[in-house]
Amino acid sequence: MCRFVLYLGPEISLSSLVTEPANSIIHQSIRSRESQEPLNGDGFGLGWYVQDMTERPAIFKDITPAWNNLNLLNLARVTRSSCVLAHVRAATPGLPVIQLNCHPFAWRRFVFMHNGRVAGFKRLKRALINRLSDEAFGMISGSTDTEHVFALFVDHVRRAGDGLDPADLMTSALAATIEEVEDLTREEGVEEPSLLNLAVTDGKAAVVSRYISTEPERANSLYVQSGRRFECVDGQCRMLDPGEAHEAVVIASEPLSEGEGWTRVPPNHLVVVREDRTTEMRALS
């Protein structure tokens, strides 16, 4: 399974998430601690925002292993942002390792990534596509279940309109997307569970799910930590004042560092991060 991390808070270097922590996303690409498959070498991707230039995110991804990409190491060292997403991929068997299939995926101001799988995707793909609007279908470039789920999310966002608070909009759309995936798997008679750790942000707020259809104890891992600032000094990374402030939030498949403040997200819950960095967990019905 893939591994990912999402950060919202004061500007930090991408390397503070990608390379510097003891269990950085690059480390997780080589030796994941909490996944049945420790190797995530089928490509990687980054998404980040430069809010004073544009609301649309920057995306950089490649099919090379994250640990062996010099461009990634150099970019992460000198690039700073207040909203960062990083993903390392373990490709679903049968899906090609091509750049179009690397996460994250972007549409307008939104960035989306996934750890897990849609059960029986090949069986329900046609039915899923038939539910999509022309715009959502047209945005799909690759062959992953993730990009098709993102298209479902986009349609739920479009139907909701612009009246909702951004965090509420993404929460409603992500919950509806998970419910629709479950409807499709039931209609197609798929019995194995879907694993849907999904992360979405608009650069200011974010929503991340930890979800599995059945057997909650088998859900992919997910953690959240909040505090005053996440910093790396001389190779030591930590959250300052964890749990005592709402200025920086890190949500990750695995804790990036040792220390207090990492909270394991319960299965079948959403983590909602608002623009003021307050966080809450909501159960998925």
Side-chain angles (χ1 to χ4, degrees):
M1 293 296 173
C2 308
R3 304 277 85 181
F4 67 55
V5 60
L6 183 151
Y7 169 84
L8 279 168
E11 277 196 358
I12 60 172
S13 66
L14 273 60
S15 63
S16 298
L17 306 171
V18 173
T19 62
E20 296 183 64
N23 196 32
S24 69
I25 203 69
I26 276 189
H27 185 278
Q28 292 178 45
S29 73
I30 303 170
R31 196 172 296 108
S32 170
R33 296 174 179 176
E34 298 194 34
S35 177
Q36 291 182 346
E37 172 51 65
L39 193 66
N40 296 278
D42 296 323
F44 68 87
L46 297 175
W48 72 96
Y49 290 78
V50 184
Q51 301 285 1
D52 58 352
M53 294 180 63
T54 176
E55 69 172 11
R56 297 174 72 96
I59 301 291
F60 170 57
K61 48 191 178 180
D62 201 349
I63 61 171
T64 60
W67 68 80
N68 197 33
N69 190 290
L70 293 179
N71 289 331
L72 171 62
L73 299 180
N74 281 299
L75 180 73
R77 181 175 55 85
V78 298
T79 304
R80 298 176 63 83
S81 177
S82 60
C83 180
V84 181
L85 302 89
H87 184 281
V88 289
R89 183 176 182 231
T92 301
L95 289 180
V97 179
I98 57 175
Q99 190 173 23
L100 291 175
N101 283 349
C102 292
H103 308 214
F105 302 94
W107 175 77
R108 296 184 182 176
R109 69 182 188 276
F110 297 100
V111 178
F112 190 93
M113 58 186 179
H114 176 204
N115 165 26
R117 66 164 187 263
V118 174
F121 177 62
K122 288 184 178 180
R123 288 170 56 183
L124 59 83
K125 181 178 178 181
R126 179 65 176 270
L128 189 158
I129 288 172
N130 287 341
R131 294 190 177 203
L132 298 176
S133 68
D134 288 344
E135 180 178 359
F137 176 73
M139 63 175 261
I140 299 172
S141 299
S143 57
T144 62
D145 52 355
T146 302
E147 197 173 11
H148 287 74
V149 171
F150 186 30
L152 288 175
F153 172 84
V154 165
D155 271 344
H156 285 293
V157 167
R158 293 174 66 248
R159 284 193 286 268
D162 298 323
L164 291 176
D165 170 85
D168 290 335
L169 170 64
M170 289 185 287
T171 298
S172 174
L174 196 65
T177 299
I178 292 171
E179 183 177 356
E180 190 162 10
V181 170
E182 289 292 68
D183 287 344
L184 283 162
T185 56
R186 282 191 294 268
E187 288 176 7
E188 296 300 316
V190 176
E191 295 183 358
E192 60 266 29
S194 290
L195 293 140
L196 301 174
N197 284 20
L198 307 171
V200 64
T201 183
D202 65 352
K204 298 179 180 179
V207 183
V208 184
S209 65
R210 184 183 184 212
Y211 182 84
I212 186 170
S213 304
T214 60
E215 302 178 84
E217 67 279 1
R218 293 177 54 197
N220 287 338
S221 58
L222 188 69
Y223 294 83
V224 59
Q225 185 183 56
S226 61
R228 180 160 55 88
R229 187 171 73 252
F230 189 78
E231 67 171 17
C232 294
V233 178
D234 296 329
Q236 300 297 314
C237 300
R238 65 187 181 118
M239 181 71 77
L240 301 183
D241 299 330
E244 298 180 14
H246 301 289
E247 298 175 36
V249 181
V250 181
I251 304 173
S253 299
E254 302 177 13
L256 302 184
S257 58
E258 304 297 331
E260 301 177 354
W262 289 103
T263 300
R264 192 175 179 91
V265 178
N268 298 351
H269 278 68
L270 298 175
V271 182
V272 181
V273 185
R274 298 191 176 276
E275 290 190 46
D276 63 2
R277 305 294 185 261
T278 56
T279 64
E280 60 180 298
M281 293 191 196
R282 295 188 184 181
L284 285 159
S285 56

